[in-house]
Amino acid sequence: MDSFRFKCITVSKTETSKGFFVKAVNKNGPVELFIYGKKTPIDSMIYMEVAGLYKNTNKNYLTVKSMNIINRFQKIRESFLKLSVAMTMIEIAYSTKIGLGLLLNGLTMLEKYSHKTAFIWFGASFLIKNGVFNKNSFSEKEISLISFILKAENKERLMISDAEFKPLAAKFVKLIEEYSGISFSFE
């Protein structure tokens, strides 16, 4: 039997009588796992390393034999605003199959900076990574803000008003939806 080992971030879990089905994002995109046992400390937004065996190639999930939790993103969990942005990033990453790298960087930024700074970084980085960032879609002020967030070292000092953030965040969501052909469940 072939084995697997990789790092992933959990998206959601569904409990069954024998364990949990877990949707996650690894470096290649979405993956579904099955974890035996009821005492498993798994929920959404956990960065972990899993290992197991491919039991049956006809099943569309992987059976996990061992796991190691790397980060539970506790600082994000303590803030409703940060948690909301994190769930948005996770939904985008899972639905668009972008892989683990960008999502992990976005969640790391969210732990360190404001929810506004982290979401602008994530939205701009998503569009740039996929080759669809178009400066003409943004005002000069928005381009300046995006550039600062992408390049500056002292992002923690940046103050972004709701009046600046909301239309820019809506633009990112609209552009990501247009690129991916997916309509997300958030505004």
Side-chain angles (χ1 to χ4, degrees):
M1 278 189 199
D2 290 336
S3 63
F4 65 87
R5 177 178 296 277
F6 56 80
K7 293 178 181 175
C8 61
I9 294 177
T10 57
V11 175
S12 66
K13 74 173 185 178
T14 304
E15 190 173 341
T16 69
S17 60
K18 294 184 181 191
F20 298 98
F21 280 104
V22 177
K23 291 183 177 184
V25 175
N26 72 4
K27 68 178 183 176
N28 299 320
V31 64
E32 293 189 19
L33 310 168
F34 186 78
I35 303 171
Y36 284 99
K38 292 287 190 179
K39 303 274 184 198
T40 307
I42 297 295
D43 57 6
S44 298
M45 199 175 61
I46 293 179
Y47 180 43
M48 64 183 181
E49 183 174 41
V50 294
L53 298 172
Y54 295 104
K55 284 190 166 184
N56 184 341
T57 56
N58 295 330
K59 295 180 182 175
N60 59 355
Y61 60 87
L62 306 173
T63 304
V64 174
K65 295 295 182 189
S66 69
M67 66 179 182
N68 177 34
I69 295 175
I70 299 167
N71 191 347
R72 293 184 59 82
F73 300 103
Q74 197 57 41
K75 289 180 183 177
I76 295 172
R77 293 172 187 271
E78 294 169 358
S79 165
F80 179 75
L81 288 172
K82 287 188 175 195
L83 189 58
S84 297
V85 169
M87 291 299 117
T88 300
M89 290 179 186
I90 289 170
E91 183 178 345
I92 289 170
Y94 187 81
S95 299
T96 61
K97 302 174 174 83
I98 63 168
L100 181 64
L102 187 61
L103 176 59
L104 183 58
N105 289 339
L107 293 175
T108 302
M109 290 225 20
L110 193 52
E111 279 193 306
K112 195 172 179 181
Y113 303 111
S114 77
H115 68 284
K116 294 173 185 176
T117 300
F119 188 74
I120 292 169
W121 180 90
F122 181 81
S125 297
F126 178 95
L127 296 174
I128 290 167
K129 178 181 179 184
N130 289 293
V132 293
F133 186 86
N134 182 352
K135 287 185 177 186
N136 297 331
S137 300
F138 302 95
S139 70
E140 279 187 43
K141 188 174 183 181
E142 290 170 336
I143 291 293
S144 176
L145 179 62
I146 292 166
S147 182
F148 180 82
I149 290 172
L150 291 174
K151 296 176 183 171
E153 294 296 320
N154 57 345
K155 295 174 191 43
E156 69 278 352
R157 302 174 85 193
L158 181 63
M159 299 299 287
I160 305 168
S161 71
D162 285 344
E164 292 173 303
F165 175 70
K166 288 181 180 181
L168 184 54
K171 243 183 235 188
F172 280 128
V173 170
K174 180 179 176 251
L175 291 169
I176 291 169
E177 285 178 334
E178 287 174 1
Y179 166 74
S180 64
I182 298 169
S183 190
F184 297 104
S185 62
F186 45 81
E187 292 183 26

